[in-house]
């Protein structure tokens, strides 16, 4: 019985020992797990501390930014208030100016009406004045034109002033398109002639002599004899001036003569620069 009791006790002790060892192993395993969890918690705590520090720093920056924005808002509010005050003043000035412009516009409208009335009166007076003086004004240019026409007509070279035909010989026209044909001499291998608006013909005869002829009074007039061979001549548009030019071999002055036909005198001589160039 004692041996069996010892065996039972030993078995119980063994069982208790095994259970104790198992519990110790479980406790050690749990302790390791707790230590690992503690280390992980410490790492997380450090990370959280860093995050919290960063957030605190960001919060400080945001607070500074908010403070700056608040200051700017206050300044902007003050500026807006100043602008509103200035706007109110401008609105007041604009209203006063609009009222003044309205008064000026009424005055201008009244002045415009007076101007139109005065303009109409002056236009009526001018129209009446023009009608009153229309006939004299029409006659004056015609009289002046007739005076010029008469002054450029050839003057007979004969003592009695009758028609002459020293150079010009009228020829009967056989063609209906022709009004007059005149036979004249040559000048420098071709006929130098020109006719003005009054149908006064200027023509060169015998190279150096210049004659005028008009079918109106049937007269011819020797205007001049040049010292050189005449190669070209031309009337001006009004028909009162006649330009005469010639060969420079004989034209020692190298000039073109400008004749005032109504006065029968030379009014100007134009110098020609190129001595080697003739007029034709």
């Amino acid at each position: 019985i004692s041996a069996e009791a010892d065996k039972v006790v030993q078995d119980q002790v063994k069982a208790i020992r095994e259970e104790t060892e198992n519990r110790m192993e479980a406790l050690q395993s749990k302790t390791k797990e707790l230590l690992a969890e503690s280390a992980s918690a410490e790492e997380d705590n450090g990370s959280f501390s860093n995050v919290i520090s960063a957030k605190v720093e960001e919060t400080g920056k945001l607070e500074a930014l908010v403070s700056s924005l608040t200051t700017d808002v206050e300044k902007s509010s003050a500026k807006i208030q100043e602008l509103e005050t200035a706007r109110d003043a401008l609105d007041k000035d604009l209203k006063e100016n609009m009222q003044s412009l309205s008064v000026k516009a009424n005055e201008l409208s009244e002045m415009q009406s007076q101007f139109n009335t005065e303009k109409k009166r002056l236009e009526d007076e001018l129209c009446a004045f023009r009608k009153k003086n229309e006939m004299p004004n029409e006659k004056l240019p015609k009289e002046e034109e007739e005076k010029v026409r008469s002054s450029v007509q050839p003057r007979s070279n004969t003592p009695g002033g009758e028609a002459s035909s020293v150079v010009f010989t009228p020829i009967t026209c056989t063609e209906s398109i022709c009004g007059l044909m005149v036979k004249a001499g040559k000048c420098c291998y071709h006929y130098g002639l020109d006719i003005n608006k009054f149908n006064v013909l200027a023509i060169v005869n015998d190279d150096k002599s210049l004659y005028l002829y008009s079918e109106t009074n049937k007269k011819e007039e020797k205007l001049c004899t040049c010292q050189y061979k005449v190669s070209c001549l031309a009337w001006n548009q009004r028909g009162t001036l006649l330009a005469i030019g010639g060969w420079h071999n004989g034209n020692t002055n190298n000039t073109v003569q400008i004749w005032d036909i109504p006065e029968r005198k030379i009014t100007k001589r134009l110098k020609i620069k190129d001595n080697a160039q003739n007029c034709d």
Side-chain angles (χ1 to χ4, degrees), residues 34-229:
L34 291 174
L35 290 173
E37 289 178 358
S38 177
S40 177
E42 289 179 356
E43 291 178 359
D44 293 340
N45 188 25
S47 177
F48 288 151
S49 297
N50 293 333
V51 171
I52 290 171
S53 298
K55 294 299 182 182
V56 169
E57 185 178 357
E58 290 180 1
T59 301
K61 292 180 179 179
L62 290 174
E63 288 177 351
L65 181 60
V66 169
S67 177
S68 176
L69 290 174
T70 302
T71 303
D72 292 341
V73 168
E74 292 175 353
K75 292 180 180 179
S76 298
S77 298
K79 189 66 176 179
I80 290 172
Q81 188 174 2
E82 291 178 1
L83 292 174
E84 288 178 349
T85 303
R87 182 197 62 189
D88 294 339
L90 289 174
D91 289 341
K92 182 179 179 181
D93 292 341
L94 180 61
K95 185 176 180 180
E96 293 176 354
N97 290 333
M98 289 295 292
Q99 293 176 352
S100 177
L101 286 175
S102 178
V103 174
K104 295 294 183 182
N106 293 332
E107 293 177 356
L108 181 61
S109 178
E110 184 177 354
M111 292 175 63
Q112 183 69 33
S113 178
Q114 294 176 358
F115 170 78
N116 291 335
T117 302
E118 185 66 14
K119 179 182 177 183
K120 181 67 169 57
R121 184 184 67 80
L122 292 175
E123 288 177 348
D124 293 341
E125 290 181 359
L126 180 60
C127 183
F129 178 79
R130 285 178 176 174
K131 288 181 179 179
K132 182 179 179 180
N133 295 276
E134 186 174 5
M135 293 302 296
N137 288 337
E138 287 181 353
K139 291 181 179 179
L140 183 60
K142 291 182 179 179
E143 293 175 356
E144 185 69 23
E145 189 80 1
E146 289 300 325
K147 183 178 179 181
V148 174
R149 181 191 299 273
S150 176
S151 67
V152 299
Q153 294 299 318
R155 304 164 188 174
S156 177
N157 294 320
T158 61
E162 65 273 8
S164 58
S165 58
V166 176
V167 175
F168 298 94
T169 304
I171 301 173
T172 303
C173 298
T174 58
E175 300 178 10
S176 59
I177 194 172
C178 295
L180 173 69
M181 295 181 65
V182 178
K183 182 178 181 181
K186 68 177 182 178
C187 68
C188 299
Y189 313 111
H190 63 275
Y191 290 102
L193 57 87
D194 193 17
I195 190 168
N196 67 4
K197 60 182 291 186
F198 303 112
N199 293 326
V200 176
L201 181 68
I203 191 166
V204 180
N205 183 63
D206 298 331
D207 292 334
K208 298 181 180 180
S209 299
L210 186 74
Y211 285 82
L212 302 178
Y213 176 80
S214 174
E215 182 64 15
T216 301
N217 58 12
K218 307 293 184 181
K219 293 181 180 181
E220 73 175 33
E221 175 186 353
K222 184 177 181 180
L223 181 65
C224 65
T225 299
C226 298
Q227 300 300 319
Y228 50 86
K229 293 183 179 181

